[in-house]
Amino acid sequence: MSRPEILPHHDPACWGCGETPFGFRLPAPEEEGGELYEVYLHFEEGHQGGPGIVHGGLVAAVLDEACGLLATWYRFPTVTARIFVRYRHPVPIETELLVRARLESVSGRRIRVRGELLDGDESLAEARAGFLHVPLEHFLATPEGRAAADAYRRRLEGTTQ
């Protein structure tokens, strides 16, 4: 049986891409080092701010997640350093939308990504985001991070305890 060479790029408890029941559950990019990430999604009634309109914080969160997935698969691991969101039009619930992230530039540890939320050809929201490539130890500073590392180590060793 082949063993993975690198740590998983996300935590199963991640609200944006993990298996949590109320999260976005965005899928992982198909390849490492890619410069484009696109996925279709729809917001549900529970995502509303005003009637029929997605809460702005959730719009920002999905853009952050899509941009972050691209950055992390481009250079593992990364964290969001900043994000600026421009809301162009109200985002409707129960509508299939496209979230797109595109690599803009890389300089040292800095990765810049542009994100967009689209309804067909209409841009509903845009993001400019900056990410930092960080050492893996950044995530081991918390009890949850150490527990995740221990669980991954056990999986590699083929044990469950």
Side-chain angles (χ1 to χ4, degrees):
M1 179 170 134
S2 173
R3 292 186 178 183
E5 297 290 322
I6 60 172
L7 290 168
H9 288 31
H10 77 96
D11 187 292
C14 175
W15 190 80
C17 66
E19 292 108 35
T20 61
F22 302 109
F24 290 131
R25 295 180 167 197
L26 294 186
E30 294 181 9
E31 64 182 2
E32 289 186 316
E35 298 184 7
L36 177 67
Y37 174 78
E38 293 182 325
V39 66
Y40 285 93
L41 74 147
H42 74 279
F43 294 95
E44 299 170 358
E45 186 178 17
H47 297 130
Q48 288 184 114
I53 298 171
V54 178
H55 189 285
L58 295 176
V59 171
V62 80
L63 286 166
D64 178 42
E65 187 62 28
C67 291
L69 283 168
L70 179 65
T72 293
W73 259 256
Y74 186 81
R75 183 176 293 158
F76 176 72
T78 64
V79 295
T80 306
R82 67 176 187 201
I83 186 165
F84 301 98
V85 177
R86 180 173 183 200
Y87 301 91
R88 294 186 157 277
H89 299 284
V91 176
I93 62 167
E94 304 299 347
T95 301
E96 186 176 68
L97 304 171
L98 174 67
V99 63
R100 174 184 296 146
R102 186 179 306 275
L103 185 71
E104 190 172 62
S105 67
V106 178
S107 177
R109 294 178 48 213
R110 297 177 188 172
I111 301 170
R112 290 183 182 87
V113 179
R114 292 228 178 219
E116 194 169 23
L117 186 61
L118 299 153
D119 184 0
D121 292 332
E122 183 175 38
S123 177
L124 303 177
E126 301 168 344
R128 289 181 299 132
F131 296 85
L132 285 178
H133 173 62
V134 296
L136 192 55
E137 289 76 19
H138 172 86
F139 298 100
L140 299 176
T142 66
E144 295 83 1
R146 289 188 296 276
D150 289 343
Y152 183 72
R153 192 174 297 111
R154 285 192 303 273
R155 280 198 310 271
L156 286 178
E157 295 168 353
T159 63
T160 57
Q161 297 186 16

